[in-house]
Amino acid sequence: MVHWSAEEKQLITSVWAKVNVEECGAEALARLLIVYPWTQRFFSDFGNLSSPTAIIGNPRVRAHGKKVLTSFGEAIKNLDNLKGTYSKLSELHCDKLHVDPENFRLLGDILVIVLAAHFTKDFTPACQATWQKLVGLVAHALARKYH
Amino acid sequence: MLTAEDKKLIQQIWGKLGGAEEEIGAEALTRMFYSYPPTKTYFPHFDLSPGSEQVRVHGKKVVAALGTAIKNIDNLSQALSELSNLHAYNLRVDPPRFSLQFLSQCLQVALATRLGKDYSPEAHSAVDKFMSAVASVLAEKYR
């Protein structure tokens, strides 16, 4: 059972309240595909991923980024039950999508960097630590149903 | 592999720091100790409280080494040879940790908080690759 202090919950919700899920999601996913190009293997039917510009402008990347981050929003509403929240998605990523869970860690770290660039000095060490904990737990929850 | 474009971007990013390099070193370490408590196990002899002088001095050292690496980006192996020996034979920081992923992440967060949208996806990619290359060189002599 994960423990979240009041301060951690506050750091998560106050940051989340200011996040534009569509923009942030698109940015995070685009960066994943740019910084770790091998992750493009999961998106071969997304069309033009030939350059950072193409990736950033790709509407399917944007849409999927939004979907991914929207699901993060669900996690934030259910901080005390991340495993339950991600149970079905975990099965999906294993059985249908065949995604190596290491990729969840990569995306989590990228999300933290996107938040840092967006919030600049407000993204304090305490804030980062809380979010690193969250993305780590989400990655873990998503990997949990793998077999 | 670091491309010519990557190298240019890294030098540009470093150039944009306008003298804040040392602060960034201390900040990256502070963030690392906060987010990844096991990394503190390598510094039992340090005062790790906020504003620690030891952390500041060490951060400055780390950033100076990265600066040297950037100036010698075409020959990282040689430029970091001493540090490579130090890490392999004296410090013996656990290599997987030492794939510098935690320091790299925290350094990038420190850069992103200062540069905002100037920390573009292309710059992010270049720095990530660079830190990976540095980590490989530092781990070269482990066994």
Side-chain angles (χ1 to χ4, degrees), chain A residues 13-27:
Chain A
T13 52
S14 63
V15 164
W16 193 249
K18 299 181 200 137
V19 165
N20 176 323
V21 169
E22 181 167 352
E23 285 303 320
C24 188
E27 171 102 25

Side-chain angles (χ1 to χ4, degrees), chain B residues 7-83:
Chain B
K7 292 174 186 178
K8 210 172 88 186
L9 277 167
I10 290 160
Q11 278 152 354
Q12 257 172 37
I13 288 286
W14 214 248
K16 283 198 178 125
L17 299 178
E21 292 87 352
E22 291 174 8
E23 258 171 60
I24 286 181
E27 184 182 329
L29 287 175
T30 302
R31 284 181 181 274
M32 188 182 75
F33 296 139
Y34 231 118
S35 283
Y36 306 107
T39 56
K40 295 192 288 188
T41 60
Y42 293 99
F43 299 91
H45 53 302
F46 265 35
D47 160 24
L48 296 178
S49 58
S52 155
E53 179 68 8
Q54 283 176 309
V55 172
R56 199 186 59 76
V57 166
H58 197 70
K60 192 170 156 180
K61 254 192 210 168
V62 169
V63 158
L66 289 175
T68 300
I70 291 171
K71 287 204 193 83
N72 294 281
I73 207 166
D74 290 319
N75 193 357
L76 285 178
S77 224
Q78 195 172 73
L80 294 173
S81 174
E82 288 285 318
L83 274 176

